[in-house]
Amino acid sequence: MRSPRNLEVWKMGVVNYLDALKLQEKLVSYRKICKIPDTLLSLQHPPTYTLGKRRTDHNLLIPVSELKQIGAELHYTQRGGDITFHGPRQAILYPVISLREIGLGARNYVEKLELTMIELASLYGVKACAGQKGETGVWVGDRKIGAIGVRISYGVTSHGLAFNIDPDLKYFKHIVPCGIGDKEVTSLRRETGAVLPAEEVIREQLISCFARLFGYSSITWKESPLILSDNEEIE
């Protein structure tokens, strides 16, 4: 019988992208030496465009010099995937977990991230599915509702998924989302056309879907942990 597994969830609110990136890097280093358990960061970012390691700058359709005018930032990352947008009213999950301990390969890991968002959408009567070949993320018809971009280092994950609850979709008009042209971006609010529960309720539902699909038997919640400085350690 497999022993019970616990997931530690950090509920962090709105976090600057670079702060979240530095935190992930520190947590990954700790997870590799088993200093921390599997950890899930639940947060939002201010309006931010990120590019993956392929550096597909041509999919940013607005001059970098004009980003400040629309209240957005641009950051380069080492995750997989193409350009995407992060902003308020998205549910973002960054898992820092050991795939080796749970016996998952990279492909199965991504598939479970997709299923996490598909299951959440189904709770609201929205039929979502994984993309076709070459289409990453989760889709409702030909409209993208969730993005995935991951990094795996020695079996430990970082980055993750972003599910659109009710973000300002105008920001997506300035990019070719995930490098896929001729497709729209959508949200749970747009697809349901109904009044949704509080965002925090939806975030917790997404976390519950993640925990169930990845086989965690319990969740430990941490409310708004402080961002660690370079010299701070986790107790």
Side-chain angles (χ1 to χ4, degrees):
M1 180 180 294
R2 180 176 293 179
S3 59
R5 294 171 44 238
N6 180 65
L7 178 67
E8 187 167 284
V9 178
W10 294 24
K11 297 169 68 176
M12 304 189 69
V14 179
V15 181
N16 174 275
Y17 187 82
L18 287 182
D19 286 339
L21 188 60
K22 290 176 183 177
L23 176 60
Q24 288 178 80
E25 290 169 353
K26 180 157 284 192
L27 293 176
V28 166
S29 69
Y30 286 164
R31 188 67 190 91
K32 287 178 180 177
I33 59 174
C34 301
K35 192 170 184 177
I36 61 170
D38 282 352
T39 301
L40 183 67
L41 306 184
S42 174
L43 47 80
Q44 300 179 69
H45 292 306
T48 306
Y49 295 107
T50 65
L51 280 157
K53 57 188 176 183
R54 286 188 289 159
R55 297 292 189 269
T56 50
D57 297 69
H58 58 277
N59 287 326
L60 177 66
L61 306 179
I62 182 174
V64 173
S65 59
E66 295 182 15
L67 288 175
K68 190 173 182 180
Q69 298 174 26
I70 63 171
E73 299 179 349
L74 173 66
H75 295 293
Y76 294 86
T77 77
Q78 290 301 310
R79 63 163 172 78
D82 209 296
I83 193 168
T84 193
F85 170 76
H86 295 308
R89 298 187 297 281
Q90 271 186 337
I92 296 174
L93 298 184
Y94 290 147
V96 180
I97 66 176
S98 172
L99 296 183
R100 291 175 180 174
E101 287 192 7
I102 58 180
L104 275 184
R107 182 185 294 272
N108 287 339
Y109 172 62
V110 170
E111 288 174 351
K112 283 183 180 292
L113 292 181
E114 291 170 339
L115 286 172
T116 297
M117 293 189 281
I118 291 169
E119 186 172 289
L120 175 67
S122 72
L123 297 178
Y124 293 89
V126 175
K127 187 175 181 180
C129 62
Q132 302 299 314
K133 187 174 181 180
E135 296 179 346
T136 60
V138 170
W139 301 73
V140 181
D142 61 357
R143 303 176 299 283
K144 190 165 191 174
I145 197 169
I148 293 175
V150 304
R151 177 173 169 79
I152 302 171
S153 175
Y154 296 96
V156 176
T157 66
S158 57
H159 298 277
L161 64 83
F163 183 85
N164 295 334
I165 299 174
D166 187 22
D168 185 346
L169 297 178
K170 292 195 298 291
Y171 280 101
F172 289 97
K173 296 184 181 299
H174 300 299
I175 61 173
V176 180
C178 299
I180 302 170
D182 304 320
K183 302 284 186 178
E184 291 184 38
V185 175
T186 191
S187 67
L188 189 63
R189 172 72 178 83
R190 181 177 171 187
E191 292 300 323
T192 59
V195 176
L196 297 173
E199 285 182 39
E200 190 56 35
V201 171
I202 299 174
R203 294 178 203 287
E204 291 187 2
Q205 290 172 330
L206 183 65
I207 292 165
S208 295
C209 292
F210 176 93
R212 187 186 67 77
L213 286 164
F214 280 86
Y216 294 99
S217 54
S218 61
I219 296 175
T220 300
W221 300 90
K222 279 195 171 184
E223 296 284 346
S224 302
L226 295 175
I227 297 291
L228 300 176
S229 69
D230 291 339
N231 297 320
E232 286 182 305
E233 294 194 356
I234 297 171
E235 297 296 334

